[in-house]
Amino acid sequence: METCTDDNIFSITSFLVSKDLVKLALVCKHFGGRNFPSASKPAGERRREGWPWSMMEEASRRRVSAAKDDRLNPWKDSDLLTIRGEESWIAVDHRLYLLRSAYVFSRIIGSAISYVNDGITHVQVRRRETVGFSVAICQETMKAGKHYADFTLTQSGSIYIGIIRPIHDWPKKKMVLREFREYCGSQSGQGYEGNVHQYYFCVSDHSKFKKGDIAGMLLNLEEGTGTLYRNGVCLGVKVKNLAGHYCWAVAIKNDRDGRLTKYETNKPSMSIARGVVPGGS
């Protein structure tokens, strides 16, 4: 059998995703080790002194570099492709993988929302009269940088879009907002920093959204703001003082006066897609 060169390994890794590179890095020192006397130093310090990283990190670095040089890549200028602090290139590669993946609603809490035709990117109101609160949560946790999502109103009516804490392990089938606030307040760690645990904007005729319109949302975790767009036109910053981790969400809830949300004719529906920030903001 001929010797498998490093170039052969790099060719093979181009077909693997970041989590597979992590597994390969654990196989042997040649893949995951840093064979230098100073290998015990932090990754950032090694970078500053010009020392190499592991072979799997180099594979990730090459993939990220190629993506940033690709003029057809809509996310080539995204700050999510910038290495931060002491993190590895595999972490940046994982964010590139997420940028190339579709947003999906991985969990629905409450009985008032359901998937449309079993499609996990498309949800709808399932009741004519909604009691309480229901939410469809996107699978991806946003921890830093800028993120943008397009929510397309596929059937008109009052429906909410926004952000929520990454509560994919919520232990109940239903959610009472008071219980949610208490739960978030009891959590510790970076993901629950600040006091804004969720935020929603009502997409309806009253807010001049009609069937077929696209409500875009920009989450800027560097500035702690959320900005709303309608069909690519900026409607301004809608929420500030954001901190911690969030997921995109579509929700149904009672109005501010506690009255039931009623749908006399149409039951609104909404789809989600990963978008590119209008104007490159």
Side-chain angles (χ1 to χ4, degrees):
M1 179 178 177
E2 295 183 0
T3 302
C4 185
T5 66
D6 287 350
D7 287 338
N8 295 144
I9 298 298
F10 284 129
S11 296
I12 293 171
T13 57
S14 66
F15 295 96
L16 304 178
V17 297
S18 53
K19 64 180 181 180
D20 296 323
L21 297 185
V22 172
K23 295 176 182 178
L24 271 179
L26 299 175
V27 169
C28 64
K29 289 184 178 180
H30 185 67
F31 289 166
R34 299 177 176 92
N35 300 315
F36 283 80
S38 54
S40 60
K41 291 188 177 183
E45 190 170 339
R46 281 196 299 277
R47 269 191 231 94
R48 287 192 294 272
E49 297 184 14
W51 293 334
W53 33 77
S54 72
M55 175 180 258
M56 293 303 103
E57 284 188 83
E58 173 61 15
S60 288
R61 188 199 66 79
R62 293 185 181 191
R63 180 151 50 200
V64 172
S65 179
K68 295 178 74 171
D69 291 338
D70 183 1
R71 291 182 298 174
L72 298 180
N73 176 16
W75 304 288
K76 63 183 179 64
D77 297 321
S78 172
D79 61 347
L80 296 176
L81 300 184
T82 301
I83 198 164
R84 300 188 178 99
E86 305 299 321
E87 69 180 358
S88 72
W89 278 107
I90 296 179
V92 185
D93 188 18
H94 181 62
R95 291 200 293 270
L96 173 62
Y97 169 76
L98 292 176
L99 282 172
R100 289 170 167 170
S101 304
Y103 282 143
V104 300
F105 294 110
S106 59
R107 186 176 182 193
I108 293 177
I109 301 174
S111 58
I113 295 179
S114 64
Y115 293 114
V116 176
N117 298 326
D118 296 324
I120 56 178
T121 64
H122 198 183
V123 293
Q124 65 183 350
V125 173
R126 61 182 299 184
R127 291 182 175 180
R128 291 292 184 188
E129 190 171 89
T130 298
V131 180
F133 175 79
S134 296
V135 60
I137 305 174
C138 188
Q139 90 284 11
E140 184 175 319
T141 300
M142 300 173 287
K143 301 179 180 180
K146 296 178 182 178
H147 305 262
Y148 191 86
D150 282 327
F151 297 86
T152 301
L153 187 62
T154 54
Q155 184 63 58
S156 60
S158 296
I159 192 167
Y160 294 80
I161 63 172
I163 52 175
I164 192 171
R165 295 297 192 192
I167 53 168
H168 299 98
D169 57 349
W170 181 259
K172 301 180 180 180
K173 293 183 178 180
K174 296 182 179 181
M175 179 187 295
V176 178
L177 290 179
R178 175 181 53 80
E179 294 178 349
F180 171 75
R181 288 192 291 268
E182 291 175 352
Y183 173 84
C184 292
S186 67
Q187 301 300 304
S188 59
Q190 185 178 9
Y192 287 84
E193 290 180 1
N195 297 318
V196 183
H197 300 306
Q198 61 180 344
Y199 169 81
Y200 302 102
F201 178 85
C202 184
V203 177
S204 66
D205 294 336
H206 297 293
S207 55
K208 299 182 180 180
F209 281 89
K210 60 183 182 296
K211 181 179 179 180
D213 282 350
I214 299 176
M217 287 202 72
L218 168 64
L219 176 64
N220 187 336
L221 290 175
E222 305 300 329
E223 299 180 357
T225 59
T227 305
L228 181 69
Y229 293 78
R230 181 175 63 241
N231 298 327
V233 178
C234 181
L235 301 182
V237 174
K238 298 299 180 181
V239 60
K240 299 180 179 179
N241 302 317
L242 300 176
H245 302 167
Y246 295 97
C247 296
W248 296 119
V250 169
I252 296 296
K253 61 179 182 177
N254 294 347
D255 65 18
R256 293 181 179 179
D257 298 323
R259 293 173 297 192
L260 301 183
T261 301
K262 296 183 178 181
Y263 304 99
E264 303 298 339
T265 54
N266 298 326
K267 293 188 293 183
S269 56
M270 183 76 71
S271 65
I272 187 173
R274 193 183 300 276
V276 179
V277 182
S281 302

